[in-house]
Amino acid sequence: MRTLSILAASAALLVCLACEPRVATPIYGPWEEGLTLAFEDPSLPQPQRSAERLQVRVAHSSIAPGSPRLVQLDLANTRGQMSLLLRHLDGGIALIETDGRVMAVSLPPHFPDAAPWVDRGTEFRVIGRARWEGAAILPPTSDPIGVWVEARSLQGPRRRTLYLPNLGEVESQVERDGTWVAVNRLVARGFTDLPYTKRP
């Protein structure tokens, strides 16, 4: 009888554990369809800063359990537009061709708990977590705590990028004369629909 009681208690414990909500692994990139982000270079004077604003829109997303976890981003500014295809896998993000060939690794698997990595001759390392100073533009439900990543290459200055969950890059800085200068910053966030086109 005691054995049955122990088995019943163990089974109840397993059922309770199975019913507890699991914490989803953060996705350090934009993935919600229609999410539209605008970026500016704060180091530029106006009106050049506004004129060179970059808009990034999630055109298509297949992030769901068991899916390929692909995200198409449409980028546009006054000079033109282009699309990027990203593959999300185990916390990592890779820029890929339509045939699946990896062109670049934005974030490695198991980010942000990843060891330093190298991509196309540039060394990357996680340098810590921090609250984003520009978080006032985000809705109250957004997580303002991000992860700073430092990049070092043989050519060019050191660069630091802050990644937030569900948004990805929100600010990038470069080292100039011993000072960190912001050169890319998220300035607007919202959702937009594609224009409706009437078929003939």
Side-chain angles (χ1 to χ4, degrees), residues 28-85:
Y28 285 91
W31 61 272
E32 297 175 272
E33 284 192 9
L35 178 63
T36 304
L37 309 172
F39 295 88
E40 290 182 357
D41 180 347
S43 69
L44 296 177
Q46 289 289 16
Q48 183 184 2
R49 183 191 309 176
S50 296
E52 295 191 13
R53 176 182 281 208
L54 175 68
Q55 178 177 289
V56 178
R57 182 180 183 278
V58 179
H60 179 71
S61 175
S62 64
I63 294 208
S67 75
R69 302 177 70 84
L70 298 177
V71 173
Q72 179 187 325
L73 300 181
D74 289 347
L75 286 64
N77 62 14
T78 55
R79 292 188 295 275
Q81 56 188 15
M82 65 181 295
S83 293
L84 301 177
L85 187 60

Side-chain angles (χ1 to χ4, degrees), residues 28-171:
Y28 285 91
W31 61 272
E32 297 175 272
E33 284 192 9
L35 178 63
T36 304
L37 309 172
F39 295 88
E40 290 182 357
D41 180 347
S43 69
L44 296 177
Q46 289 289 16
Q48 183 184 2
R49 183 191 309 176
S50 296
E52 295 191 13
R53 176 182 281 208
L54 175 68
Q55 178 177 289
V56 178
R57 182 180 183 278
V58 179
H60 179 71
S61 175
S62 64
I63 294 208
S67 75
R69 302 177 70 84
L70 298 177
V71 173
Q72 179 187 325
L73 300 181
D74 289 347
L75 286 64
N77 62 14
T78 55
R79 292 188 295 275
Q81 56 188 15
M82 65 181 295
S83 293
L84 301 177
L85 187 60
L86 304 177
R87 182 176 65 208
H88 293 251
L89 183 64
D90 297 329
I93 303 175
L95 174 65
I96 64 171
E97 293 276 15
T98 53
D99 62 3
R101 183 169 52 91
V102 175
M103 298 172 59
V105 175
S106 302
L107 298 175
H110 312 297
F111 181 85
D113 300 320
W117 69 98
V118 177
D119 183 60
R120 295 176 297 163
T122 300
E123 298 178 356
F124 297 87
R125 68 183 181 100
V126 173
I127 57 175
R129 295 180 183 272
R131 181 183 183 89
W132 185 41
E133 294 178 356
I137 70 166
L138 303 178
T141 54
S142 290
D143 186 353
I145 305 300
V147 179
W148 280 104
V149 172
E150 184 175 278
R152 289 174 176 261
S153 63
L154 295 176
Q155 301 173 346
R158 285 192 299 167
R159 187 179 184 96
R160 288 182 175 175
T161 302
L162 181 65
Y163 294 88
L164 285 188
N166 303 316
L167 293 173
E169 177 182 336
V170 293
E171 183 164 333

Side-chain angles (χ1 to χ4, degrees), residues 194-200:
L194 288 174
Y196 174 74
T197 53
K198 189 174 182 180
R199 296 192 177 195

